[in-house]
Amino acid sequence: MTLGWRHPFDALGTEFYSSVNPTALSNVHWVAKNHALARAWGWPDDAFDDHLLNVLSGNAVAKGSQPCASVYSGHQFGVWAGQLGDGRALSLGVIDTPLGAQEIQLKGAGKTPYSRMGDGRAVLRSSIREFLCSEAMHGLRIPTTRALALVGSPDRVLREDIETAAVVTRVAPSFLRFGHLQHFAANGEIKALKSLVDFLIDTQFPHLNQVEDGPSRYTALLADITRLTAVMLAKWQAVGFCHGVMNTDNMSLLGLTIDYGPFQFLDGFDPAHICNHSDHQGRYAYARQPQIAYWNLFCLGQALLPLIEDQDKALQALETYQSLYPALADREFAVKLGLTLAGADDHVLIESLLKVLATEKTDFTIFWRRLSHAVAHLQSLGPTKAFEPVKDLFIDGTAWLAWLPRYLHRLEGTDTEQAGLLMLATNPKYVLRNHLGEEAIAQAKIGNFALVDDLLQVLSSPFDEHPRFEHLAGFAPDWASSISISCSS
Ligand code: AMP
Ligand code: MG
């Protein structure tokens, strides 16, 4: 299979990237292949052959591909950190697919000129998490970078322990981050900043070329990215997704979820939950994510200011977030409740329900799924019987039983069978809980990749039942709360 590779930054000068070939790994093997994505691209069933294995492990460079790494900076945990990357993601190029032009990156294929003290590698453990979660988020219809394949090698990589190397093949229309623009703005390289932003507009936001050239167009870009980020955040919150490291270099300019590290899907609903054990202050706790995104957008606005020229205009574009995010989040949660037409009191209804869930840290995913079934069966079973499995989730059901009549009142006049179907297509049965990732990692470390495959299958269609995989939809076991996930990857 030959692919028509294009350079990802051919319109830009070499201040944006460095050409660098991947560094080979020994005895590489497939850990996972994303056949569904390959099929969506029209690739043949035997596409994952030895040649592709060599290309996607960095052991060979495909004909026409010119690997390169791009430079970016960013704020880490609220502090300016200067140049950060990309120290271990190499772009192989852009290919045309039926899903549009896609950039293909190898994460962990060796050092780049931006690696700083790093080894340019990624370990199997974190690569399995990134591979599975990219596809889980896609299955949940949340904007994300995707993963085409995962390869492993016995080559040793030193982290807290000695681990083995892996390479994830990531895919996105573009991997440009807030940090890419921050890099040139912080260095006062305004001409380069403008070239990069114009390139971003031409390739990813071409509709903005209809806006008058100059500050108005750059303001419109900031407004677009603000909107895309708000959409992404509302969807994260609605599925209980914690990113864990929302540094500005981990924020996509396309509003894609990017850089899966210490992420977690909430088990019990705890708004203050911190999933990253390196995040001692809880800066990136679940409930703080929407405001952190806004903070990050301000950094982006700051970087774009030399092009927007007018601080008030930049602020206006950014401030749309403050009304847009709450409206989008309410919408997401209303649909989770089966409510298609917005009601005046829905926000209060949602907030009070989230308080009920927080009281006992009720399992977030199972609650919504049981609620969906209850609504679907409300007509046939009546409220007491239909909601019994939901009530069973609470030790002290008082707060729940106080909330339920308000919900039933709100559902009056609704076709609850239809609403239940909508809810079952909105509230997933399967999410990548930490303990599932840990089990898949433990098995993969001894050469068994079956659970990675099973998880890929169910997480790709998380709203379906998958009777064979009922065991992947249960509560987190007790040991899950002792899993410690840090930035180490
Ligand atoms: P992160 O906090 O994981 O997003 O890391 C910040 C940046 O550090 C990344 O964008 C990478 O460019 C770089 N980095 C992380 N780990 C490594 C590594 N093992 N080798 C080289 N660079 C790395
Ligand atoms: Mg990163």
Side-chain angles (χ1 to χ4, degrees), residues 156-188:
R156 284 143 56 111
V157 177
L158 182 64
R159 294 294 180 261
E160 281 83 3
D161 297 314
I162 293 174
E163 302 190 46
T164 60
V167 179
V168 185
T169 303
R170 306 198 292 194
V171 175
S174 163
F175 289 91
L176 288 173
R177 303 143 188 265
F178 289 13
H180 277 98
L181 305 189
Q182 286 186 288
H183 179 79
F184 295 100
N187 291 343

Side-chain angles (χ1 to χ4, degrees), residues 217-237:
R217 188 179 295 172
Y218 302 122
T219 311
L221 175 69
L222 181 58
D224 265 14
I225 297 170
T226 299
R227 180 179 48 79
L228 292 169
T229 305
V231 168
M232 177 179 79
L233 262 292
K235 290 181 182 294
W236 284 5
Q237 299 306 106

Side-chain angles (χ1 to χ4, degrees), residues 454-466:
D454 291 349
L455 284 168
L456 175 63
Q457 192 183 324
V458 295
L459 295 170
S460 298
S461 52
F463 306 104
D464 296 343
E465 282 297 322
H466 306 286

Side-chain angles (χ1 to χ4, degrees), residues 72 177 249-250 259:
Y72 59 75
R177 303 143 188 265
D249 61 305
N250 291 336
D259 277 10

